[in-house]
Amino acid sequence: MQTFKDKINPQQLPKHVAIIMDGNGRWAKSRGEKRTFGHKHAIKAVREVVNACNEIHIPYLTLYTFSSENWNRPEDEVDTLMSLISETLILEAEEIFTKGLRMHIIGDIEKLPPLVQEQMLHLVDVTKNNTKGNLILALSYGSQHEILSAVKKISAKVKNGELTEDQITEKVFEDHLYTCEFPPVDLMIRTSGEVRISNFLLWQIAYAELQFLDTLWPDFGREDFFKCIYEYQNKERRFGKISEQLEENL
Ligand code: IPE
Ligand code: IPE
Ligand code: MG
């Protein structure tokens, strides 16, 4: 039987996939369990997607792991999430390194517990020479905050004469975002049936293909991911042009 992986065209892969991994709480509740049970089961899905990306050589994968708004959840849920992130980093560090993945973190990381900060920065450092793919965790991340910080950095530069107003281009603006080293998002996937962005990569998804799936994150797996890539390849990305121009490569 042909799988979605077999149908993927290796010449037309997205460079950057970003995922809003949503639905852990509902997954747990539907089983009569506490929300944190869902978070624990989310890790398997993360592993499958990271492996799938690595297998077909998608160079950038960003995972929305904890939003700036998620700090407003009940304290015990936040604590469990932080412990899980910490445990997972310890358990998966070797695998990430062996796979040749380079780890990055985006977000307001100073808000994270010191141990998580230390573990993250350590993993970022030890994987910095890896070249087989980039795994970007959005942790304590909020896009509006990121954009506002970029505006503040740029206005400080204008004030001290490092930049003039005319020099503020889209490229210069992007250079001041957390994501300055990464290409724009080509495909954004959200699980759990919600059709919203929830403050994720607002600037970076300007021309991304968006896919909203009903599957709850802990049920998401390798074949679902390959199906998303396959469907992405069946979209015509026109970037404002018309089909005929694309066919003629104008
Ligand atoms: C996503 O699942 C995980 C995080 C936001 C950390 P949720 O915990 O939001 O699960 P639902 O959306 O309530 O089902
Ligand atoms: C978005 O999910 C954040 C992450 C998946 C980490 P949420 O569950 O927090 O989003 P909303 O609040 O339902 O929009
Ligand atoms: Mg949610």
Side-chain angles (χ1 to χ4, degrees):
M1 200 185 77
Q2 218 192 12
T3 62
F4 281 105
K5 191 190 165 197
D6 301 326
K7 295 188 195 171
I8 292 172
N9 175 356
Q11 309 305 326
Q12 262 180 42
L13 289 169
K15 273 207 183 72
H16 189 170
V17 177
I19 309 184
I20 304 178
M21 312 183 289
D22 196 21
N24 301 349
R26 278 164 282 170
W27 186 89
K29 276 199 164 171
S30 72
R31 285 163 174 76
E33 299 281 353
K34 286 204 266 180
R35 296 177 51 80
T36 47
F37 183 74
H39 298 317
K40 289 182 187 135
H41 280 264
I43 297 163
K44 180 174 165 279
V46 173
R47 206 178 289 125
E48 285 203 23
V49 167
V50 171
N51 289 343
C53 244
N54 195 237
E55 221 177 294
I56 58 172
H57 309 298
I58 291 177
Y60 294 87
L61 172 67
T62 300
L63 298 175
Y64 205 6
T65 310
F66 191 88
S67 74
S68 47
E69 287 72 26
N70 289 150
W71 290 115
N72 300 322
R73 290 195 177 188
E75 206 179 315
D76 61 334
E77 183 168 341
V78 172
D79 289 348
T80 306
L81 278 164
M82 290 303 140
S83 308
L84 262 177
I85 292 166
S86 168
E87 283 166 28
T88 310
L89 288 175
I90 296 171
L91 288 173
E92 303 295 324
E94 203 180 317
E95 180 79 7
I96 291 171
F97 189 81
T98 317
K99 285 212 152 66
L101 296 177
R102 182 171 174 191
M103 190 86 182
H104 305 264
I105 178 163
I106 56 171
D108 193 1
I109 54 170
E110 278 165 21
K111 285 201 176 147
L112 295 167
L115 179 66
V116 177
Q117 284 187 45
E118 239 173 75
Q119 290 173 321
M120 275 305 317
L121 295 176
H122 176 68
L123 206 48
V124 167
D125 187 51
V126 296
T127 61
K128 66 175 187 282
N129 296 320
N130 287 355
T131 54
K132 294 271 157 57
N134 293 276
L135 175 57
I136 304 144
L137 291 192
L139 265 178
S140 186
Y141 175 86
S143 188
Q144 289 180 332
H145 176 80
E146 177 187 30
I147 290 172
L148 210 55
S149 314
V151 170
K152 286 181 186 170
K153 285 182 221 159
I154 291 169
S155 60
K157 287 188 183 174
V158 172
K159 209 167 156 193
N160 72 21
E162 236 179 287
L163 271 178
T164 66
E165 202 185 313
D166 295 342
Q167 287 171 327
I168 310 172
T169 58
E170 283 160 20
K171 169 77 176 68
V172 166
F173 188 78
E174 279 164 4
D175 288 344
H176 291 81
L177 294 172
Y178 295 134
T179 52
C180 54
E181 296 170 61
F182 319 134
V185 175
D186 298 304
L187 169 62
M188 198 214 72
I189 301 166
R190 182 175 190 146
T191 56
S192 92
E194 308 298 354
V195 183
R196 56 176 173 260
I197 306 296
S198 303
N199 203 9
F200 189 44
L201 301 174
L202 298 174
W203 174 282
Q204 298 85 344
I205 60 166
Y207 252 110
E209 295 298 324
L210 308 180
Q211 293 185 15
F212 296 95
L213 313 180
D214 286 335
T215 314
L216 301 173
W217 178 253
D219 288 329
F220 191 83
R222 179 188 142 85
E223 199 52 14
D224 300 293
F225 181 76
F226 289 141
K227 183 170 183 225
C228 291
I229 304 299
Y230 173 71
E231 283 179 2
Y232 162 88
Q233 294 188 329
N234 285 302
K235 300 277 174 210
E236 184 178 66
R237 302 186 75 197
R238 291 188 287 276
F239 297 96
K241 294 184 178 176
I242 64 168
S243 298
E244 289 76 3
Q245 287 174 294
L246 301 176
E247 280 155 24
E248 289 157 27
N249 219 354
L250 293 176

